[in-house]
Amino acid sequence: MSKDNKNPNKKPKLNPYWIYGVVITIFLGMQLFYGGFGGQSSATITPSKFLDYLDQGDVAKVEIVNKREAKVYLTKEAVEKEVHKATKPNNILPAMTPSPNYTFEFGDLQNFEKEINDTIASNNLTTELKYKTEENLWGNFLISLLPFILIIGVWIFIMRRMSSGSGGGAGGQIFNIGKSKARLFDEKTDIKTSFRDVAGLEGAKEEVQEIVDFLKNPEKYTSLGGKIPKGALLVGQPGTGKTLLAKAVAGEAQVPFFSLSGSDFVEMFVGVGASRVRDLFKQAKEKSPSIIFIDEIDAIGRARGKSNFSGSNDERENTLNQLLTEMDGFGTNTNVIVLAATNRADVLDKALMRAGRFDRQIFVDLPDVRERKEIFEVHLRPIKQSETLDIDFLAKQTPGFSGADIANVCNEAALIAARHGKKAVDKQDFLDAVDRIVGGLEKKNKIITPDEKRAVAYHEAGHATISWMLEHAAPLVKVTIVPRGQSLGAAWYLPEERLIVRPEQMLDEMCAALGGRAAEKVIFDKISTGALSDLEKVTKQARAMVTIYGLSDKVGNLTYYDSSGQTEYGFTKPYSEQTAELIDNEISNIIETQYKRAISLLEDNKDKLTQLAEVLLEKEVIFKDNLEKIFGKRPFAKDEEE
Ligand code: ADP
Ligand code: ZN
């Protein structure tokens, strides 16, 4: 790479320094003007000297200029005096502009005036005292311009900075600020996504398939008088494939695809968002049929007028209004379809969902086991895998993973295998990749004392023991005491993917979560701060049981949950003080009961708990088989299908 600053083709760049130069020149110029017009060719004296001269009757006239400066004109006789000789004006045109013999500045006009008048009065002088405001026209003019010059200077400077920041385009990015930042994928870009690349998501795919059809054969629908929908909203957690789906639509329909994120509209300058929306739609119409994809639309689409204390949301509202206007504005035959993605459909402005705008909502869920397997298959395509790799197993090991997580696991596994110099990626690499993605990097050199390590081992063994023994607790996958990220150890379960949860399931899970602290109590008779995240989880769950799911007898079959998210309670609670107390009591009751249950379970099985903890201390990572060796087969057979 050679430096390109000698490249003669490069446009000469406007150097920010010239602005400084201009400003400084103006300053200097002003000083000169001031000096020149003021005629300060005369000598300066101190006020007290002046009073002396005045006292001696040498002064013919005093001019007070701009209440700041005094100009002293001597009498004809005085000029001839030895002391004043040096100041004899050598004007070429003495008659026209007699210049003062002396000038000086004084502090306070009132005091000074008084002194002069006193001297004149006491000496019976004929000295004239005059007041004058001298208009320094040029100077004033320039002074009034100065702020503008400075502002313009700063603007040009910022502009230069911005454009050089973005790769040095000499055009200046500031002129493009109202232009949309959408990335365009069309025939020319070779990123081709098709439905083949989207695994699972059958329902969603079916719905967007229709959109492809609208774009390809609009007449088929319009000929019967139907209107083509203008937009669809993809709702789902991050990484579930919403962008991918939108790209696939564009790929299948073979139309240009404008992709940008909601936050791209928002800028610190007022009015920019709206103008970007306008520009985006203009571009899309020019290329129609086309698709606009706005990711994270909640950045602009949040309900208007809510929690707007400062009025600072105006810019966002303008942007949203512009978006609504644009969507209403284009006719049915424009053939531009807007897809938008969000994981917070509940906070969106209702106006966005009205007919003629995003009138379709497509839900994109986290994948289940079967879908995870399909996603693995997609992302394993480019990877050299070992023959024995069991994709079913991988899918089972990754509950709660999104498509993006799975893509990440596959990539990470390949990197790990490469690091170990393997020819193909095998099961262990995938397991390591999963660990790494769930828990963060292993911290092999984290300093842990042997005592701490023992405490962690017993804590995790406590979780494992309880979850093994309770029917509804999730079956264990693995326990580790290798520190990772923030945690010192972890027990992982295979949560059942269930849609309805019964109270006994929740209670069993809470009991298992409290098993860590219970084990510390049973074995060491001490508890520690190591149970923080367990307690947090348990407390949340207990509160949800009581106040959301109506599962507490004492509080009853009611919920304080508002699915519309419209009610903002703020500092007031939707229940009375008595109910608040009841709720608190119920929550603490539920938790204490489960804690006691965990303690008694572990006390009854202290020997097995100890055995497990010792194995864990020795091996650091244990799996289901190790538990089976100690506890025997888990009696609740339904999860034994592996
Ligand atoms: P979102 O927009 O929902 O946040 P993305 O569409 O950006 O998620 O997904 C990120 C990546 O995750 C995709 O590029 C793809 O590699 C992978 N991915 C997500 N869902 C799927 C899926 N259903 N099938 C295949 N890959 C997926
Ligand atoms: Zn724990």
Side-chain angles (χ1 to χ4, degrees), residues 88-139:
K88 189 176 178 180
N90 48 357
N91 280 1
I92 303 163
L93 299 166
M96 284 183 72
T97 50
S99 47
N101 303 77
Y102 296 110
T103 59
F104 62 94
E105 294 200 9
F106 50 86
D108 182 52
L109 178 60
Q110 263 186 348
N111 274 340
F112 180 67
E113 250 178 340
K114 194 172 168 298
E115 275 182 85
I116 296 177
N117 284 329
D118 285 354
T119 318
I120 292 175
S122 61
N123 290 1
N124 250 333
L125 298 170
T126 54
T127 310
E128 256 187 290
L129 185 58
K130 270 196 174 169
Y131 296 90
K132 221 169 124 182
T133 39
E134 206 161 74
E135 292 278 300
N136 191 335
L137 282 176
W138 258 105

Side-chain angles (χ1 to χ4, degrees), residues 142-255:
L142 284 176
I143 282 189
S144 64
L145 272 189
L146 193 64
F148 294 102
I149 293 171
L150 276 176
I151 289 170
I152 291 169
V154 169
W155 257 95
I156 295 177
F157 183 65
I158 290 177
M159 209 164 91
R160 290 283 128 197
R161 285 288 295 271
M162 286 178 87
S163 65
S164 57
S166 71
Q173 199 200 4
I174 202 106
F175 300 119
N176 289 328
I177 201 154
K179 295 265 157 55
S180 97
K181 287 193 194 166
R183 277 204 300 151
L184 173 64
F185 299 91
D186 56 11
E187 322 79 58
K188 286 175 227 116
T189 34
D190 41 26
I191 308 163
K192 288 271 171 284
T193 310
S194 69
F195 283 140
R196 210 174 83 92
D197 303 306
V198 187
L201 303 178
E202 261 85 40
K205 262 203 261 186
E206 220 164 88
E207 295 213 36
V208 293
Q209 185 79 56
E210 217 181 15
I211 294 177
V212 175
D213 216 28
F214 288 146
L215 286 168
K216 277 188 159 164
N217 317 303
E219 306 80 30
K220 182 171 144 198
Y221 297 89
T222 49
S223 65
L224 295 179
K227 280 199 189 112
I228 292 188
K230 288 174 183 168
L233 191 63
L234 300 163
V235 185
Q237 288 183 31
T240 43
K242 299 181 291 295
T243 314
L244 189 69
L245 206 55
K247 269 191 197 160
V249 171
E252 295 278 332
Q254 305 202 324
V255 299

